[in-house]
Amino acid sequence: TKLRWYCQLCEKACRDENGYKCHLSSESHLRQVRVFAEKPKQFIEFYSKEFEDAFMEVLRRKGENVRSKAKAIWHEVIAERHHIHLNATRWLTLTEFVKHLGKEGFAEVDMDDEGVYHIRYINRDPEVLKRKEALARKEKMDLDDAERAAKMVENQIKEAQKQLAGRGFGKDATTEEQKMLKREEGDKVKVELAGPALAAKGKNPALPPPPASLLELDEDEEGGRGKKREEGRES
């Protein structure tokens, strides 16, 4: 049924313009008009609440992570035959209604470059909000614990470095042996060997002197060889 042939007060759909005119002059419709005239704000608030609930129900079924066009959600709402029409509410246009949802925090509203409004559902159920708040507090506590642990490890490292520096094991501390063994780039290594004068005298500082027993044995052998040479000459 087209919107222009529907009476919201009586919730009656008419087939055409003539049927709609006949309905407006009927006793039942005039009676509803008199009731509406007594409390117009109450009727408008009722229709506004009903339309908002129907719209949010369709949006809720889309899910929290689904971003939809506001006009597409509206088309699903008016697909129901006995729905509340937007012109019976306190919002004159769909854009005004969508902005209302974003302002009240019922949905996340944004507009693209083409001027089309998109909307995403925000779950405001008290139990869900409590769970989200508890999860956020837990994540914050875990982050604080991790930061405290990292700070403690950092302090321990600094304390250990101070103790090592006090004992001479710091980064800048070097021993005398390290200084002596350190060779600059380009320096030549000089090796001194025994000279010819020491070799001629038979003095080699690298070799220890022979034992005394070997010296005595050499003298006895020399004496024996001398006696044998003398006996051979006499014979």
Side-chain angles (χ1 to χ4, degrees):
T1 305
K2 294 183 181 181
L3 174 63
R4 59 184 302 182
W5 310 127
Y6 184 85
C7 177
Q8 186 66 67
L9 281 175
C10 303
E11 297 182 0
K12 180 177 177 60
C14 301
R15 292 182 178 274
D16 52 22
E17 184 178 1
N18 290 330
Y20 185 70
K21 287 181 178 181
C22 292
H23 169 72
L24 293 180
S25 61
S26 64
E27 183 63 27
S28 60
H29 176 74
L30 295 177
R31 186 169 51 251
Q32 284 295 108
V33 170
R34 287 192 294 269
V35 174
F36 174 81
E38 294 176 359
K39 299 179 181 179
K41 292 183 179 180
Q42 184 176 351
F43 275 87
I44 293 176
E45 289 299 323
F46 172 77
Y47 291 142
S48 300
K49 186 65 171 60
E50 290 292 316
F51 180 82
E52 182 180 273
D53 291 344
F55 191 95
M56 291 301 298
E57 177 62 24
V58 175
L59 186 62
R60 185 188 63 81
R61 291 199 298 263
K62 297 294 182 181
E64 295 185 53
N65 301 321
V66 178
R67 178 173 173 265
S68 307
K69 291 183 179 180
K71 197 169 185 178
I73 302 296
W74 177 65
H75 279 301
E76 292 189 32
V77 172
I78 64 176
E80 175 66 28
R81 181 175 182 179
H82 296 288
H83 65 275
I84 302 298
H85 290 77
L86 184 60
N87 59 2
T89 66
R90 59 189 176 95
W91 302 289
L92 299 178
T93 61
L94 179 63
T95 300
E96 185 180 351
F97 171 70
V98 170
K99 289 181 179 180
H100 158 75
L101 295 180
K103 183 179 179 180
E104 295 297 327
F106 294 118
E108 181 180 321
V109 179
D110 65 280
M111 185 176 63
D112 58 15
D113 297 337
E114 298 178 355
V116 178
Y117 280 92
H118 293 76
I119 191 168
R120 184 177 65 84
Y121 177 69
I122 297 177
N123 196 339
R124 299 188 65 184
D125 182 33
E127 295 297 328
V128 175
L129 293 178
K130 287 182 180 179
R131 288 197 297 268
K132 288 183 177 180
E133 291 176 359
L135 182 61
R137 286 195 299 268
K138 183 178 181 302
E139 291 178 352
K140 187 177 183 301
M141 292 176 61
D142 293 342
L143 182 60
D144 293 341
D145 292 341
E147 290 178 353
R148 283 195 296 267
K151 189 67 175 178
M152 185 181 299
V153 172
E154 184 180 356
N155 292 335
Q156 291 176 354
I157 293 174
K158 290 181 179 179
E159 185 65 25
Q161 289 177 349
K162 289 180 181 179
Q163 293 179 1
L164 291 176
R167 297 177 183 178
F169 293 99
K171 293 182 179 180
D172 300 331
T174 55
T175 61
E176 294 295 331
E177 291 80 0
Q178 290 174 335
K179 292 180 180 179
M180 293 175 64
L181 294 175
K182 185 177 180 181
R183 180 168 62 90
E184 299 294 337
E185 185 178 358
D187 291 351
K188 297 181 179 180
V189 179
K190 184 178 181 182
V191 180
E192 294 184 357
L193 301 176
L198 293 176
K201 294 180 180 180
K203 296 180 179 180
N204 191 348
L207 297 176
S213 59
L214 293 178
L215 294 176
E216 294 176 357
L217 181 60
D218 292 341
E219 292 178 355
D220 294 341
E221 289 179 355
E222 291 293 334
R225 291 193 191 98
K227 289 180 180 181
K228 288 182 181 180
R229 284 197 295 271
E230 291 178 359
E231 289 177 359
R233 289 175 184 173
E234 291 178 356
S235 62

